[in-house]
Amino acid sequence: RVLDMAENNLATAPDSAFVTLDSLDRTLLNTRELQARHALLYSQALEKVGIEVYNDSIIHIALDYYSSIGDTESQGLSESDK
């Protein structure tokens, strides 16, 4: 649910999406799917608020997961954030 809210805010309120994703208790991300979705959204939020990431390990969580399940659409989004 928190990830849904952050995703909805990415286009219109990226600062809010970033704060939501950054402050999320990551222990709640208890599946690979949730971890990958968070990583993808977090990477997108970082880009939208203008924070350059020099370590791309965050996006690799999403890229690895989406490529392993054959989700080419999400994998494409992950690769564009690299």
Side-chain angles (χ1 to χ4, degrees):
R1 183 165 203 183
V2 172
L3 295 180
D4 291 336
M5 286 184 351
E7 184 173 20
N8 290 334
N9 286 333
L10 269 177
T12 57
D15 291 344
S16 177
F18 171 74
V19 169
T20 299
L21 293 164
D22 193 50
S23 62
L24 182 66
D25 178 0
R26 282 152 181 86
T27 62
L28 299 174
L29 306 172
N30 55 4
T31 67
R32 286 187 65 216
E33 180 180 9
L34 287 174
Q35 292 165 2
R37 184 161 180 230
H38 176 268
L40 178 59
L41 293 172
Y42 190 67
S43 296
Q44 291 172 334
L46 287 169
E47 182 180 343
K48 288 188 180 282
V49 298
I51 298 174
E52 288 199 35
V53 179
Y54 298 101
N55 178 351
D56 62 357
S57 63
I58 294 169
I59 197 59
H60 275 287
I61 295 167
L63 184 58
D64 291 346
Y65 174 76
Y66 291 120
S67 65
S68 76
I69 64 165
D71 184 340
T72 55
E73 183 177 339
S74 294
Q75 182 181 0
L77 289 171
S78 302
E79 289 176 344
S80 69
D81 283 335
K82 274 177 63 179

